[in-house]
Amino acid sequence: MRVLLTGGAGFIGQHVHEQLVAEGHEVVVFDLRDGGRDVRDAEAVAAAVEGVGTVVHLAAKVGLGVDLNDIDDYVSHNSLGTAVLLKSMGRVRNLVYASSMVVYGEGRYDCDEHGQVAPGPRRVEDLQAGRFEPPCPYCGAFLRPGFVTEDARLDPRNAYAASKLNGEHLAAAWARETGGRVTALRFHNVYGPGMPRNTPYAGVAAIFRSALERGETPRVFEDGRQRRDFVHVRDVATAVTLAAQALPQQPAFTAYNVGSGTVTTIGEVATELCTAYDAPAPIVTGDYRLGDVRHITASSDCIKADLSWKPTYDLATGLTELVHGR
């Protein structure tokens, strides 16, 4: 299989490149870091697509997207970039699209009385008072966080999230109109070797590591009990490779969650890293960001069942490897 890999020089892209080559595939890397080639350049993309059978689209502006001054930049790089790529793909009918768990917004919540519910926006007065758990929107009762499945309501809550979901919609429209096949992979918090100091993929893991390397104690927002899923970049690369290989047998559009399946709190990540660096315990600040979600973890049962994928790294081993460079 000859594959065009956009974003192939990036953090995740380098591992995907390595995995695809190890599986015997020919890879054409297209990356802004590699000769300044941009997916918004239709002529350059069309030339790169020539002769390939599958496109893996990782190139994107990543981040939290909390500053509206960047909203046009996210739309330009992610939405427009995906549109130009799709328009330039010619006869290529197979696409793996790198999406994100941020398309869900908050995760799944259940109320003992009202069943599965969607909590409303977080309120400043609650956060200031240290009430970090979202209440039931109907009765105000405590909610139990759970695992999001791919058929959950999508609720992007910042510019980055909106642009990634827009990319899914554009790719699905392309598949319907061309007879193509798209698999969108909703990555969770990706970490591992080669992770840049400021990467938003792993978010707090990168921030905490940078603090420790400066000799500072990591500072944890809220009460540190926010639930996340951290998945190793090599497991992500395997998921991408399996998805690319399976495309000819897939429906027109499929979305898969890609996570470790292990619930980890932000405080636990900070503690694991402090242990690995032999540093003092993290500081839990009670500070907050209004645009943050409280809990987001998802079930990856579908990709396990359909593509026989399974994560192989636990967080403690992965973080130790990251710290010690193994």
Side-chain angles (χ1 to χ4, degrees), residues 32-236:
L32 194 58
R33 302 171 186 84
D34 182 19
R37 297 187 296 174
D38 192 317
V39 289
R40 293 170 295 180
D41 183 338
E43 185 176 343
V45 173
V49 164
E50 190 67 32
V52 308
T54 299
V55 173
V56 174
H57 183 34
L58 304 181
K61 175 181 172 64
V62 297
L64 297 176
V66 296
D67 186 348
L68 285 180
N69 288 330
D70 288 339
I71 191 170
D72 54 342
D73 213 22
Y74 281 104
V75 172
S76 178
H77 281 88
N78 299 349
S79 299
L80 177 61
T82 298
V84 171
L85 172 67
L86 293 168
K87 183 179 177 179
S88 304
M89 282 175 58
R91 297 180 180 177
V92 182
R93 293 292 180 265
N94 297 312
L95 173 68
V96 176
Y97 172 74
S99 188
S100 170
M101 54 88 177
V102 296
V103 300
Y104 295 114
E106 284 281 359
R108 172 178 175 148
Y109 295 88
D110 290 280
C111 172
D112 287 340
E113 181 177 352
H114 296 99
Q116 186 174 343
V117 298
R122 304 178 82 185
R123 302 190 310 166
V124 171
E125 54 267 38
D126 288 337
L127 298 172
Q128 287 178 339
R131 296 189 295 269
F132 301 121
E133 295 291 342
C136 175
Y138 303 108
C139 65
F142 176 79
L143 296 176
R144 289 175 284 104
F147 291 94
V148 174
T149 54
E150 288 85 353
D151 59 356
R153 183 176 70 106
L154 304 179
D155 183 22
R157 297 196 173 191
N158 57 50
Y160 170 63
S163 69
K164 295 308 289 184
L165 181 55
N166 183 233
E168 286 195 22
H169 290 162
L170 290 170
W174 168 85
R176 284 192 297 270
E177 294 183 19
T178 65
R181 294 178 175 86
V182 177
T183 295
L185 299 178
R186 294 171 179 165
F187 300 148
H188 278 255
N189 298 275
V190 186
Y191 74 98
M195 182 175 74
R197 293 297 184 268
N198 61 345
T199 178
Y201 281 117
V204 292
I207 294 169
F208 293 159
R209 182 181 67 163
S210 295
L212 287 161
E213 291 182 346
R214 294 192 302 267
E216 300 172 2
T217 303
R219 298 176 63 83
V220 178
F221 278 21
E222 300 185 19
D223 57 6
R225 297 176 184 170
Q226 307 95 306
R227 293 159 52 109
R228 297 292 188 272
D229 185 325
F230 292 83
V231 59
H232 198 278
V233 67
R234 292 198 183 104
D235 287 332
V236 167

Side-chain angles (χ1 to χ4, degrees), residues 256-312:
Y256 289 122
N257 294 324
V258 180
S260 70
T262 301
V263 175
T264 305
T265 68
I266 299 298
E268 287 169 344
V269 172
T271 299
E272 288 279 1
L273 281 167
C274 287
T275 299
Y277 276 92
D278 195 23
I283 298 170
V284 179
T285 67
D287 294 338
Y288 65 88
R289 288 182 296 245
L290 187 59
D292 286 351
V293 299
R294 177 62 176 174
H295 303 299
I296 175 64
T297 56
S299 167
S300 298
D301 288 349
C302 286
I303 191 171
K304 293 175 184 177
D306 291 358
L307 303 185
S308 299
W309 174 83
K310 63 179 180 180
T312 58

